[in-house]
């Protein structure tokens, strides 16, 4: 299976005029790169993603898993990139027709028999309740978020990228960045699948808002603790409650908020 790709730049420079409060100066600014990527699945157009052109194989792999097209990386027979033209060509060993047909259809259903919500049919098939025994302390939450922000050099340069990390209780294992917060998580998911990484004792640290789609991705990945420096939505919290995911938000300086399943945060027991 050929899955190698040459790295693509995720930032570029732009000539600007900047007003500093007293005068206008000419300068150069660092800008996040935004590019389209059309995913061709078994020769047919499947989806077009708008993304930051880095870790593209991870993104495609994680996106296919998130959409219910694959469960394991071995289901991908070949993956070839034409990043200069904006294409990713994927051939699967077996494509389930139901998955293909239901990708863009909404489904009204119950999550774990409780919250009645609207979301994609394939989410109903692939989202799962998480049962991890991992616990964190509040200082560990602060440490992981600080580490994530410390590795976010591209965000500091551009102000335009989201960051996600797969972590142990004490350290970051891998980070991924993208203009889209969902893409950043799909890149993490793809890395997990390609590296066959166990997630039973892992944590997700995340820079963006915790939406329902973010919680569903955490559920599909199988990680039971989701840390964010930002806010959650009400639907995200209802899904997190039903899916067994601990959401900790607004992790900033010496404050944080535990929203769901507080039993995994030692001081909240």
């Amino acid at each position: 299976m050929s899955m190698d790709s040459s790295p693509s730049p995720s930032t570029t420079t732009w000539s600007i005029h900047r007003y500093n409060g007293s005068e206008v100066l000419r300068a150069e600014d660092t800008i996040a790169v935004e590019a389209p990527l059309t995913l061709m699945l078994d020769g047919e157009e499947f989806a077009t993603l708008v993304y930051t052109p880095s870790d593209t194989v991870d993104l495609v792999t994680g996106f296919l898993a998130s959409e219910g097209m694959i469960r394991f990386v071995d289901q991908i027979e070949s993956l070839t990139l034409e990043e200069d033209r904006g294409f990713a060509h994927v051939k699967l060993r077996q494509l389930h027709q139901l998955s293909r047909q239901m990708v863009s259809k909404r489904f009204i259903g119950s999550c774990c028999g409780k919250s009645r919500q609207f979301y994609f049919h394939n989410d109903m098939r692939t989202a799962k309740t998480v049962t991890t025994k991992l616990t964190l302390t509040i200082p560990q939450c602060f440490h992981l978020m600080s580490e994530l922000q410390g590795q976010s050099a591209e965000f500091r340069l551009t102000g335009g990228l989201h960051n996600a990390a797969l972590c142990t209780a004490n350290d970051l294992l891998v980070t991924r960045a993208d203009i889209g917060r969902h893409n950043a998580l799909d890149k993490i998911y793809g890395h997990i699948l390609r590296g066959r990484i166990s997630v039973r004792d892992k944590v997700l640290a995340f820079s963006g808002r915790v939406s329902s789609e973010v919680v569903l991705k955490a559920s599909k990945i199988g990680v039971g603790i989701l840390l964010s420096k930002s806010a959650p939505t009400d639907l995200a919290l209802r899904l997190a409650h039903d899916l067994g995911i601990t959401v900790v938000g607004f992790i900033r300086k010496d404050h944080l908020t535990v929203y769901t399943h507080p039993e995994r945060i030692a001081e909240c027991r």
Side-chain angles (χ1 to χ4, degrees), residues 213-228:
E213 290 176 282
V214 168
V215 169
L216 285 168
K217 286 187 185 293
S219 168
K220 294 172 186 181
I221 292 169
V223 173
I225 301 178
L226 177 60
L227 309 178
S228 174

Side-chain angles (χ1 to χ4, degrees), residues 44-171:
E44 296 184 15
E45 183 175 333
F46 177 67
T48 296
L49 309 176
V50 178
Y51 82 121
T52 298
S54 63
D55 304 295
T56 308
V57 171
D58 282 346
L59 172 65
V60 172
T61 304
F63 177 75
L64 289 172
S66 290
E67 293 298 314
M69 298 297 105
I70 64 170
R71 292 184 60 195
F72 308 102
V73 71
D74 292 344
Q75 292 174 270
I76 299 176
E77 183 174 319
S78 64
L79 196 166
T80 305
L81 300 179
E82 291 184 283
E83 289 185 283
D84 56 334
R85 297 182 60 231
F87 284 95
H89 302 273
V90 178
K91 182 175 178 58
L92 300 183
R93 298 192 186 281
Q94 183 177 3
L95 177 61
H96 295 289
Q97 193 61 32
L98 178 63
S99 298
R100 183 70 173 269
Q101 292 172 347
M102 300 306 295
V103 163
S104 63
K105 295 187 178 181
R106 289 285 180 178
F107 183 84
I108 305 172
S110 61
C111 180
C112 306
K114 300 175 183 177
S115 301
R116 189 168 175 79
Q117 313 296 355
F118 293 82
Y119 47 103
F120 288 115
H121 180 273
N122 278 352
D123 291 331
M124 291 292 297
R125 295 174 53 244
T126 56
K128 53 184 178 290
T129 301
V130 180
T131 56
T132 178
K133 295 182 179 180
L134 178 67
T135 62
L136 293 183
T137 65
I138 287 176
Q140 285 174 318
C141 294
F142 287 131
H143 171 71
L144 292 176
M145 189 55 60
S146 175
E147 287 291 298
L148 177 64
Q149 292 176 304
Q151 293 194 20
S152 304
E154 290 172 334
F155 172 80
R156 291 194 298 273
L157 287 171
T158 67
L161 294 173
H162 286 287
N163 298 279
L166 182 70
C167 319
T168 66
N170 298 301
D171 297 296

